[in-house]
Amino acid sequence: MTVYETQARVAEIRSRIGLGAPAATGGGDAFAAALQSTMDTQRAVTGATVVEAAKKYLGTPYVFGGTNPESGLDCSGLVQRAYADLGVKLPRVAKDQAREGTAVADLAHARPGDLLAFGSPVDHVAIYVGDNRMIAAPHAGDVVKIQPVYETPSAIRRIVPTASLDPQSLSGAALAGGGLAGGGLRAGALSAGSVAAAALRPAALTGVPYADLFQQAGARYGLAPALLAAVAKVESGYNPAAVSGAGAQGLMQLMPATARGLGVDALDPAQAVDGAARMLSSNLERFGSLDLAIAAYNAGGGAVSRYGGIPPFAQTQAYVPKVKAAMEQLAGRGFA
């Protein structure tokens, strides 16, 4: 990470916790002091304090669109309020909150205070308490409560870092000669984004071919990796050399014309997954429905628009539930 990337990360942290930008001064010691000031403030906010902040609203009625605990809260309203009480600014709606912070690989690695997002696109969010429990505003007719994590989250995001930075490792001596002056922090010296960088590395999940590609593309385009993996499973059985009778090619079974339009090689797994992810992301944005996005991947967006829903083609009618069933199977194996 370069000095500029590290400074940008500091600015991001300061913005998130409501601090202004540090004065621009030169030198490693000045930068270390600015970073230490930021981290001293952030240390006051921990996963445990987030959970305690959220617990203050236990029993508050669920109200769709609610942001005022005196009248009611919805799921994202609860999350936003709990973090705001600690000086941490989050977006208003669940799908935007699910892009904040850094990614957590799975529930086994989740810690109290992490955000649990559900649905693809995200339509529900909660705060992890620990021991497979979460605090949430579930739905109309219910109240803010602690409940089991009833399904595999589609995303887990860590807003509050769990590792503190050692100011000594960011001293002028650590940053000089071979440190930031050499284009990045020396080995052993933590950067402001080191925890985030580690969390964002895709985990190699056994039993799911090309798992890293699905995770990387999912993070890049805001998709559940399980959706990409499920499409690959249904389309080609994870075979990067597959060619259908109609001429569709590769892991994601892209037609040659489609691959050319996307600027990818359908027989190259990394390019194919990237192209498919762009298509599915575009379909989701266009149709606002997972079922229709999957249908459009199979039959084309024009057919979905023309019929105002899943086209009455036998192949497409069978394709959508197959992909969704594959997603459920992957989620059951911990790949979501």
Side-chain angles (χ1 to χ4, degrees):
M1 175 173 284
T2 68
V3 64
Y4 304 109
E5 292 170 327
T6 306
Q7 288 172 329
R9 175 60 176 157
V10 173
E12 176 190 346
I13 294 172
R14 294 183 69 91
S15 174
R16 183 170 293 144
I17 63 177
L19 297 177
T25 56
D29 288 328
F31 174 67
L35 178 59
Q36 182 59 34
S37 174
T38 297
M39 296 310 296
D40 283 343
T41 302
Q42 196 173 32
R43 282 194 190 100
V45 182
T46 67
T49 61
V50 171
V51 171
E52 290 306 309
K55 284 182 177 179
K56 292 187 303 183
Y57 302 111
L58 289 171
T60 301
Y62 176 95
V63 173
F64 179 76
T67 59
N68 184 346
E70 294 183 5
S71 55
L73 297 168
D74 65 8
C75 63
S76 55
L78 168 66
V79 168
Q80 187 184 51
R81 171 67 63 162
Y83 271 93
D85 287 349
L86 300 171
V88 179
K89 298 178 182 178
L90 289 180
R92 169 65 188 95
V93 298
K95 67 182 180 66
D96 293 332
Q97 291 175 356
R99 299 189 183 103
E100 291 293 299
T102 57
V104 176
D106 52 39
L107 200 58
H109 294 87
R111 297 182 182 179
D114 289 350
L115 299 190
L116 306 183
F118 300 90
S120 180
V122 172
D123 57 12
H124 185 56
V125 69
I127 296 172
Y128 190 56
V129 174
D131 297 324
N132 205 47
R133 296 178 303 146
M134 62 186 184
I135 183 168
H139 51 74
D142 212 333
V143 298
V144 174
K145 64 184 182 183
I146 295 175
Q147 61 182 154
V149 181
Y150 50 80
E151 65 181 63
T152 302
S154 56
I156 304 175
R157 308 295 294 187
R158 181 156 298 153
I159 307 302
V160 180
T162 54
S164 61
L165 299 182
D166 176 6
Q168 298 303 315
S169 70
L170 290 171
S171 65
L175 295 171
L180 285 175
L185 291 170
R186 288 191 314 193
L190 293 174
S191 74
S194 62
V195 174
L200 285 171
R201 292 190 194 105
L205 298 178
T206 58
V208 181
Y210 304 101
D212 287 357
L213 296 183
F214 300 136
Q215 287 191 318
Q216 290 164 5
R220 191 177 303 125
Y221 298 108
L223 297 173
L227 171 59
L228 296 170
V231 168
K233 180 179 180 181
V234 172
E235 288 283 358
S236 70
Y238 301 120
N239 180 2
V243 178
S244 75
Q249 299 176 331
L251 183 67
M252 309 305 288
Q253 288 292 277
L254 300 174
M255 294 296 289
T258 301
R260 284 195 299 273
L262 292 167
V264 300
D265 178 353
L267 296 173
D268 179 295
Q271 293 188 43
V273 171
D274 184 89
R278 276 185 278 148
M279 285 179 60
L280 286 162
S281 178
S282 176
N283 291 346
L284 279 168
E285 184 175 352
R286 178 177 176 182
F287 298 110
S289 160
L290 178 61
D291 285 13
L292 297 184
I294 295 171
Y297 189 92
N298 177 260
V304 171
S305 295
R306 187 163 60 253
Y307 288 100
I310 299 175
F313 309 147
Q315 183 190 62
T316 307
Q317 292 279 333
Y319 180 81
V320 174
K322 281 182 183 178
V323 171
K324 294 183 73 175
M327 288 181 69
E328 291 180 6
Q329 290 172 357
L330 287 159
R333 294 163 57 187
F335 187 76

